[in-house]
Amino acid sequence: MTRKQQECTASTMWPPSRSMRGTGRSFSKDFYEKFTRKKGSATSEYTGNVVDYFIDGVKSKQKEYNAAIERVCGLPLDKLKTLLVLSYFTDTMKTEEKRKILFELAGEFTDADILAANKDLQGLSEFLKMPGASGKFYTIDQWKKIAAEERKKLQKDLELLPTRIDEVQKSIPGTLPDENGLRSELTQLEAKKDALEEEKRSLSTKDGQKDALRAAIAGLNTELESKRAEHIRIGAEANAETNANIDRLTKELRELDDGIYRDDKLLEQTRDRIADMEAKRQALMNEYAATLQESWDAGQEICPTCGQNLPPEKVQELRAEFNQKKSDTLASINRRGQTECSQTMIDTAKKEEAAIAETLEQTRTMRIDVYQRLQNLKTAVITHPPFETTEEYSELTRRIDELRAKAAQGENAASEAETAILSKINDTKNAIANVTMEIAKAKHAVESQKRMDKLSEELKTTAENMERLEYGIHLCEEFTRTKAKLVTESINKHFGRVRFILFRDQINGGLKEVCEPTGMNRDGEWVEYRSLNYAEKINSQLDIVNTLNRHYGTNLPVIMDQGESVTAPMEIEEQFIRLIVSAPDTEEFRIRAREKGAA
């Protein structure tokens, strides 16, 4: 059986908790392998490991053992590692756990504190008000979730509304029909139909038949003159439709030319804007690289008047100013790049350029087609023959002559008259149907126009709502940045040699949550923890442990292994135990105590 014992003793030399001063406790754990000999077997077999726990030499349960250590140290076991293991916080702990501890140091920042720190956020409270709830507000995170969903809906509406408006607009004729005029015409046609039907009923008498015959002749004469007038009108307007089409195509061609000119200018402006953004982005990248390469000038550590070295505290102050100025310059360059010439903005502009170029090419193709159709129409000529040469004239005059001959002979022409009246009744019914249809079209056109006006107003309102929502999201992002700055400054006040970076700017303008400790290198520059030398890393760790001890109200001893690697560790408030390997210690373990501040 093998046994390994681990023992730790708390004494008055180590008062982990202020409530335990003047007492001594002993804690130990026995870890050993367990071997069991089964019945009938000559040898023992390994059956697992066993850990025994002892408090002041008394065997205890693990739960009691852990609880006693927590009482002595004044902290839960999960927090003890951050104080007893020097590198645990910087090298082992997860980012989320580190941020949680640091935010405990920062304290609480109310929304009022953040709004007071940035006057540009005064309008944010209007966005956070809960609708229908007096004096109640959403949190920033709650409203951002609501805004994200609302933006999706508004973006979808902004994409669909123009299509719906275009569909409705296509169903509206260029000139809206006069519904009142059509209804007046319908009333006249109904009255005409009633009169014709009454005339048809009068044919049952002999006098009525004579009257009908005379009326039929008069009607045919009227129809003949009407057809003559219509023929003359058509002749006069033989090219009216062609001319109307020519006017329409001429207007369309002019509009296409205007569109080509406008898109051509817009394409040129877009390309200029892309070139300007690319040049500005390259300049900012060069400026960023040049600023990043700037380093502390050691010559500034010498007084220009007397030529002597400046005091260390003055040098440190100048270096801090240099580093802060460099950091502010880099942050400013980064912000300018995000707002003026980010890669996303350039890519978006290039997509706009491609879309404009495609539209321009389509417009030019359409212009060629319209121009060719216009030339074809201009070559078309219509020659209208005289009315007397038409079949309509011949047919009407033939029927009039037949009726006159029958009237002179006194023949019964009731059937001929009835046929003529029935023809007029049918013509009137067809005219009534056509006018009724035109009235229906007019009503539909009016309703469509109202629908289009409503959709246009909805599009305008949606665009305004989107603009206001985007402004609210911008205020939320500024709120988050202000809070991040306040929290970071509050946390860093607790440390002497360490500064924490808790947020990083993203290319898309957002913030990424991080937890990167930084320290000052030999040149007086703040660099990331992993770039520090070993001694600076140890001092950063000591600064963190020292601060956490103050925060938790403990003064647990700090143990540093490989103490010979750091010649000047920083002074801390707690008992400091350095494990140093040196030649005289090869045979035995030596302990040397040193008072705080002693050489």
Side-chain angles (χ1 to χ4, degrees):
M1 180 183 297
T2 63
R3 180 184 292 265
K4 180 169 66 175
Q5 187 180 54
Q6 297 178 346
E7 181 175 336
C8 67
T9 301
S11 67
T12 54
M13 295 291 292
W14 172 15
S17 172
R18 290 177 172 82
S19 63
M20 297 299 296
R21 287 178 178 172
T23 64
R25 302 298 301 275
S26 173
F27 299 89
S28 63
K29 291 194 297 186
D30 280 354
F31 172 88
Y32 56 90
E33 299 170 343
K34 184 177 180 181
F35 290 83
T36 306
R37 186 172 62 186
K38 295 181 180 178
K39 187 176 181 180
S41 175
T43 60
S44 298
E45 297 181 358
Y46 170 73
T47 57
N49 298 322
V50 178
V51 181
D52 293 331
Y53 300 88
F54 297 89
I55 303 175
D56 294 332
V58 180
K59 188 174 182 179
S60 306
K61 295 181 179 180
Q62 181 183 7
K63 185 176 181 181
E64 297 172 347
Y65 178 86
N66 291 340
I69 290 180
E70 289 182 350
R71 284 196 301 273
V72 170
C73 296
L75 280 178
L77 288 177
D78 59 342
K79 292 184 177 180
L80 284 176
K81 289 182 180 180
T82 62
L83 303 178
L84 297 177
V85 181
L86 196 56
S87 63
Y88 185 76
F89 186 92
T90 54
D91 300 336
T92 305
M93 187 176 285
K94 294 181 179 179
T95 297
E96 294 80 7
E97 297 173 352
K98 289 191 286 188
R99 287 176 59 86
K100 182 178 179 181
I101 292 174
L102 292 177
F103 272 69
E104 291 176 1
L105 293 174
E108 292 293 332
F109 285 92
T110 65
D111 290 353
D113 295 333
I114 298 167
L115 292 175
N118 189 342
K119 295 182 180 179
D120 293 336
L121 298 176
Q122 296 305 314
L124 180 58
S125 58
E126 293 298 321
F127 291 92
L128 302 181
K129 284 183 180 178
M130 287 187 179
S134 177
K136 292 186 178 180
F137 296 86
Y138 293 112
T139 64
I140 293 294
D141 290 337
Q142 287 175 337
W143 191 84
K144 286 176 71 174
K145 291 179 181 179
I146 295 173
E149 293 300 321
E150 183 65 17
R151 179 160 57 178
K152 289 181 183 178
K153 179 180 178 300
L154 291 175
Q155 285 176 339
K156 184 176 181 181
D157 290 342
L158 289 175
E159 292 173 358
L160 294 179
L161 283 173
T163 303
R164 293 166 62 186
I165 292 173
D166 185 61
E167 290 175 354
V168 175
Q169 189 174 23
K170 289 179 179 178
S171 66
I172 302 175
T175 303
L176 292 178
D178 181 8
E179 185 176 350
N180 293 331
L182 289 172
R183 290 191 180 278
S184 176
E185 183 180 355
L186 179 63
T187 301
Q188 295 175 3
L189 288 172
E190 292 284 357
K192 180 180 179 181
K193 180 175 74 70
D194 293 342
L196 288 172
E197 288 177 345
E198 179 64 27
E199 185 178 351
K200 175 176 173 293
R201 286 192 294 271
S202 68
L203 292 177
S204 57
T205 64
K206 188 172 183 180
D207 291 337
Q209 292 174 359
K210 291 180 179 179
D211 292 339
L213 183 60
R214 287 193 294 271
I217 295 172
L220 288 175
N221 283 320
T222 301
E223 184 177 357
L224 179 65
E225 294 305 318
S226 175
K227 293 291 185 181
R228 186 191 304 275
E230 179 67 13
H231 184 81
I232 293 173
R233 186 188 65 80
I234 293 174
E237 300 179 358
N239 295 315
E241 184 177 357
T242 301
N243 291 332
N245 288 330
I246 289 174
D247 292 341
R248 179 178 57 81
L249 290 179
T250 301
K251 179 181 178 182
E252 186 175 346
L253 188 66
R254 184 167 58 253
E255 290 175 350
L256 289 173
D257 286 337
D258 292 342
I260 291 172
Y261 176 79
R262 183 176 58 255
D263 289 345
D264 211 4
K265 286 293 184 183
L266 182 58
L267 182 61
E268 181 181 355
Q269 293 171 358
T270 303
R271 287 171 175 170
D272 290 343
R273 182 158 53 91
I274 292 172
D276 181 62
M277 285 194 294
E278 288 178 337
K280 186 176 294 183
R281 179 175 176 82
Q282 185 61 47
L284 287 176
M285 291 174 66
N286 293 340
E287 184 180 352
Y288 190 94
T291 304
L292 199 61
Q293 290 177 0
E294 290 179 359
S295 60
W296 171 254
D297 182 7
Q300 296 186 32
E301 299 179 7
I302 299 173
C303 176
T305 303
C306 63
Q308 295 181 358
N309 290 333
L310 295 173
E313 60 273 12
K314 182 62 177 178
V315 173
Q316 185 174 1
E317 179 184 349
L318 291 175
R319 286 185 172 182
E321 291 178 357
F322 170 79
N323 291 326
Q324 184 62 45
K325 181 179 179 182
K326 179 178 178 180
S327 177
D328 292 344
T329 301
L330 292 175
S332 174
I333 293 172
N334 189 38
R335 284 194 300 271
R336 288 163 57 197
Q338 295 301 323
T339 57
E340 298 177 9
C341 53
S342 67
Q343 189 60 49
T344 301
M345 295 172 64
I346 293 174
D347 292 341
T348 301
K350 287 184 177 180
K351 290 180 181 178
E352 294 175 2
E353 175 194 8
I356 295 170
E358 182 179 356
T359 301
L360 185 59
E361 184 61 28
Q362 293 174 352
T363 305
R364 285 173 173 160
T365 302
M366 291 173 58
R367 187 194 185 283
I368 294 174
D369 177 66
V370 171
Y371 178 79
Q372 185 60 48
R373 286 190 287 143
L374 180 61
Q375 294 303 115
N376 292 339
L377 282 175
K378 287 181 176 180
T379 58
V381 177
I382 298 176
T383 302
H384 209 61
F387 178 64
E388 287 74 14
T389 61
T390 63
E391 292 183 1
E392 284 183 319
Y393 176 82
S394 299
E395 176 63 20
L396 286 172
T397 53
R398 182 189 63 77
R399 290 170 59 190
I400 290 173
D401 291 342
E402 288 179 355
L403 288 177
R404 284 174 177 171
K406 289 179 180 180
Q409 296 173 4
E411 295 182 6
N412 189 347
S415 58
E416 180 70 21
E418 184 176 2
T419 300
I421 291 175
L422 287 174
S423 177
K424 291 180 180 181
I425 291 174
N426 288 332
D427 291 343
T428 305
K429 287 181 177 180
N430 291 335
I432 290 173
N434 291 333
V435 172
T436 302
M437 184 177 295
E438 289 299 317
I439 291 174
K441 289 180 179 179
K443 292 179 65 176
H444 179 267
V446 171
E447 292 299 323
S448 297
Q449 183 63 48
K450 291 180 180 178
R451 176 61 177 162
M452 190 180 73
D453 293 342
K454 184 178 179 181
L455 289 173
S456 298
E457 184 63 28
E458 185 178 348
L459 178 61
K460 179 183 176 182
T461 302
T462 302
E464 292 173 350
N465 290 339
M466 174 62 86
E467 183 178 356
R468 184 176 185 276
L469 187 69
E470 291 288 357
Y471 179 65
I473 293 173
H474 165 72
L475 289 180
C476 285
E477 291 175 350
E478 285 301 309
F479 179 93
T480 302
R481 290 181 183 278
T482 303
K483 184 175 182 180
K485 181 180 179 181
L486 293 177
V487 169
T488 302
E489 290 175 352
S490 177
I491 289 173
N492 286 333
K493 288 178 182 178
H494 292 273
F495 297 90
R497 305 178 69 98
V498 179
R499 296 289 182 271
F500 283 93
I501 298 174
L502 300 174
F503 302 91
R504 289 194 187 278
D505 288 323
Q506 299 292 93
I507 295 178
N508 60 6
L511 291 178
K512 179 181 180 182
E513 295 183 349
V514 298
C515 188
E516 292 290 342
T518 64
M520 192 172 291
N521 62 13
R522 292 179 178 177
D523 296 327
E525 300 173 331
W526 288 98
V527 298
E528 293 184 1
Y529 170 80
R530 59 177 173 268
S531 299
L532 297 172
N533 59 34
Y534 182 76
E536 286 299 331
K537 286 184 179 179
I538 293 297
N539 281 328
S540 296
Q541 295 168 5
L542 289 172
D543 189 17
I544 293 171
V545 171
N546 192 44
T547 299
L548 293 182
N549 262 307
R550 287 199 305 269
H551 174 62
Y552 293 135
T554 59
N555 60 344
L556 298 176
V558 178
I559 303 173
M560 183 180 75
D561 197 6
Q562 298 179 2
E564 70 280 358
S565 301
V566 183
T567 58
M570 71 171 282
E571 290 284 346
I572 59 175
E573 300 172 5
E574 294 76 22
Q575 182 181 3
F576 188 25
I577 302 173
R578 296 174 66 197
L579 303 179
I580 301 173
V581 177
S582 59
D585 298 328
T586 55
E587 299 296 333
E588 62 182 4
F589 183 73
R590 294 187 296 121
I591 299 176
R592 178 183 299 169
R594 180 172 65 86
E595 292 296 330
K596 233 180 242 188

